[in-house]
PDB file of all heavy atoms in Angstrom:
ATOM      1  N   ALA A 639     -29.846   2.072  11.413  1.00  0.00           N
ATOM      2  CA  ALA A 639     -28.640   2.371  12.192  1.00  0.00           C
ATOM      3  C   ALA A 639     -29.007   3.131  13.459  1.00  0.00           C
ATOM      4  O   ALA A 639     -29.931   3.946  13.479  1.00  0.00           O
ATOM      5  CB  ALA A 639     -27.666   3.188  11.353  1.00  0.00           C
ATOM      6  N   GLU A 640     -28.256   2.872  14.531  1.00  0.00           N
ATOM      7  CA  GLU A 640     -28.500   3.523  15.820  1.00  0.00           C
ATOM      8  C   GLU A 640     -27.260   4.311  16.218  1.00  0.00           C
ATOM      9  O   GLU A 640     -26.143   3.777  16.247  1.00  0.00           O
ATOM     10  CB  GLU A 640     -28.802   2.472  16.889  1.00  0.00           C
ATOM     11  CG  GLU A 640     -28.982   3.057  18.274  1.00  0.00           C
ATOM     12  CD  GLU A 640     -29.072   1.989  19.354  1.00  0.00           C
ATOM     13  OE1 GLU A 640     -29.011   0.793  19.017  1.00  0.00           O
ATOM     14  OE2 GLU A 640     -29.181   2.377  20.539  1.00  0.00           O
ATOM     15  N   LEU A 641     -27.463   5.593  16.540  1.00  0.00           N
ATOM     16  CA  LEU A 641     -26.380   6.403  17.066  1.00  0.00           C
ATOM     17  C   LEU A 641     -26.293   6.136  18.561  1.00  0.00           C
ATOM     18  O   LEU A 641     -27.114   6.602  19.351  1.00  0.00           O
ATOM     19  CB  LEU A 641     -26.637   7.886  16.788  1.00  0.00           C
ATOM     20  CG  LEU A 641     -25.555   8.866  17.264  1.00  0.00           C
ATOM     21  CD1 LEU A 641     -24.216   8.573  16.575  1.00  0.00           C
ATOM     22  CD2 LEU A 641     -25.991  10.305  16.991  1.00  0.00           C
ATOM     23  N   VAL A 642     -25.305   5.355  18.964  1.00  0.00           N
ATOM     24  CA  VAL A 642     -25.172   4.937  20.358  1.00  0.00           C
ATOM     25  C   VAL A 642     -24.643   6.066  21.220  1.00  0.00           C
ATOM     26  O   VAL A 642     -25.081   6.256  22.362  1.00  0.00           O
ATOM     27  CB  VAL A 642     -24.252   3.700  20.452  1.00  0.00           C
ATOM     28  CG1 VAL A 642     -24.099   3.253  21.905  1.00  0.00           C
ATOM     29  CG2 VAL A 642     -24.791   2.567  19.595  1.00  0.00           C
ATOM     30  N   SER A 643     -23.680   6.806  20.712  1.00  0.00           N
ATOM     31  CA  SER A 643     -23.166   7.967  21.437  1.00  0.00           C
ATOM     32  C   SER A 643     -24.125   9.135  21.236  1.00  0.00           C
ATOM     33  O   SER A 643     -25.120   9.035  20.520  1.00  0.00           O
ATOM     34  CB  SER A 643     -21.758   8.321  20.945  1.00  0.00           C
ATOM     35  OG  SER A 643     -21.744   8.521  19.544  1.00  0.00           O
ATOM     36  N   GLY A 644     -23.814  10.270  21.849  1.00  0.00           N
ATOM     37  CA  GLY A 644     -24.712  11.419  21.775  1.00  0.00           C
ATOM     38  C   GLY A 644     -24.706  12.080  20.416  1.00  0.00           C
ATOM     39  O   GLY A 644     -23.871  11.787  19.549  1.00  0.00           O
ATOM     40  N   PRO A 645     -25.626  13.031  20.197  1.00  0.00           N
ATOM     41  CA  PRO A 645     -25.730  13.720  18.908  1.00  0.00           C
ATOM     42  C   PRO A 645     -24.603  14.705  18.652  1.00  0.00           C
ATOM     43  O   PRO A 645     -24.470  15.218  17.552  1.00  0.00           O
ATOM     44  CB  PRO A 645     -27.072  14.444  19.006  1.00  0.00           C
ATOM     45  CG  PRO A 645     -27.283  14.648  20.476  1.00  0.00           C
ATOM     46  CD  PRO A 645     -26.688  13.450  21.142  1.00  0.00           C
ATOM     47  N   GLU A 646     -23.791  14.989  19.684  1.00  0.00           N
ATOM     48  CA  GLU A 646     -22.664  15.888  19.536  1.00  0.00           C
ATOM     49  C   GLU A 646     -21.387  15.194  19.991  1.00  0.00           C
ATOM     50  O   GLU A 646     -21.414  14.302  20.843  1.00  0.00           O
ATOM     51  CB  GLU A 646     -22.865  17.166  20.355  1.00  0.00           C
ATOM     52  CG  GLU A 646     -24.030  18.025  19.891  1.00  0.00           C
ATOM     53  CD  GLU A 646     -24.111  19.324  20.668  1.00  0.00           C
ATOM     54  OE1 GLU A 646     -23.480  19.418  21.757  1.00  0.00           O
ATOM     55  OE2 GLU A 646     -24.783  20.255  20.189  1.00  0.00           O
ATOM     56  N   VAL A 647     -20.280  15.625  19.396  1.00  0.00           N
ATOM     57  CA  VAL A 647     -18.990  15.045  19.749  1.00  0.00           C
ATOM     58  C   VAL A 647     -17.914  16.108  19.601  1.00  0.00           C
ATOM     59  O   VAL A 647     -17.968  16.944  18.693  1.00  0.00           O
ATOM     60  CB  VAL A 647     -18.672  13.824  18.865  1.00  0.00           C
ATOM     61  CG1 VAL A 647     -18.515  14.215  17.411  1.00  0.00           C
ATOM     62  CG2 VAL A 647     -17.435  13.093  19.367  1.00  0.00           C
ATOM     63  N   GLY A 648     -16.944  16.114  20.505  1.00  0.00           N
ATOM     64  CA  GLY A 648     -15.816  17.009  20.382  1.00  0.00           C
ATOM     65  C   GLY A 648     -14.788  16.447  19.421  1.00  0.00           C
ATOM     66  O   GLY A 648     -14.830  15.257  19.063  1.00  0.00           O
ATOM     67  N   PRO A 649     -13.843  17.239  18.997  1.00  0.00           N
ATOM     68  CA  PRO A 649     -12.869  16.781  18.013  1.00  0.00           C
ATOM     69  C   PRO A 649     -11.968  15.648  18.522  1.00  0.00           C
ATOM     70  O   PRO A 649     -11.347  14.939  17.729  1.00  0.00           O
ATOM     71  CB  PRO A 649     -12.048  18.035  17.695  1.00  0.00           C
ATOM     72  CG  PRO A 649     -12.243  18.924  18.886  1.00  0.00           C
ATOM     73  CD  PRO A 649     -13.629  18.650  19.373  1.00  0.00           C
ATOM     74  N   GLU A 650     -11.910  15.481  19.851  1.00  0.00           N
ATOM     75  CA  GLU A 650     -11.131  14.402  20.428  1.00  0.00           C
ATOM     76  C   GLU A 650     -12.008  13.260  20.934  1.00  0.00           C
ATOM     77  O   GLU A 650     -11.515  12.311  21.549  1.00  0.00           O
ATOM     78  CB  GLU A 650     -10.249  14.928  21.562  1.00  0.00           C
ATOM     79  CG  GLU A 650      -9.208  15.941  21.099  1.00  0.00           C
ATOM     80  CD  GLU A 650      -8.367  16.466  22.240  1.00  0.00           C
ATOM     81  OE1 GLU A 650      -8.682  16.141  23.399  1.00  0.00           O
ATOM     82  OE2 GLU A 650      -7.396  17.202  21.979  1.00  0.00           O
TER      83      GLU A 650
END
Side-chain angles (χ1 to χ4, degrees):
E640 176 189 359
L641 181 61
V642 180
S643 55
E646 295 184 343
V647 64
E650 297 179 353

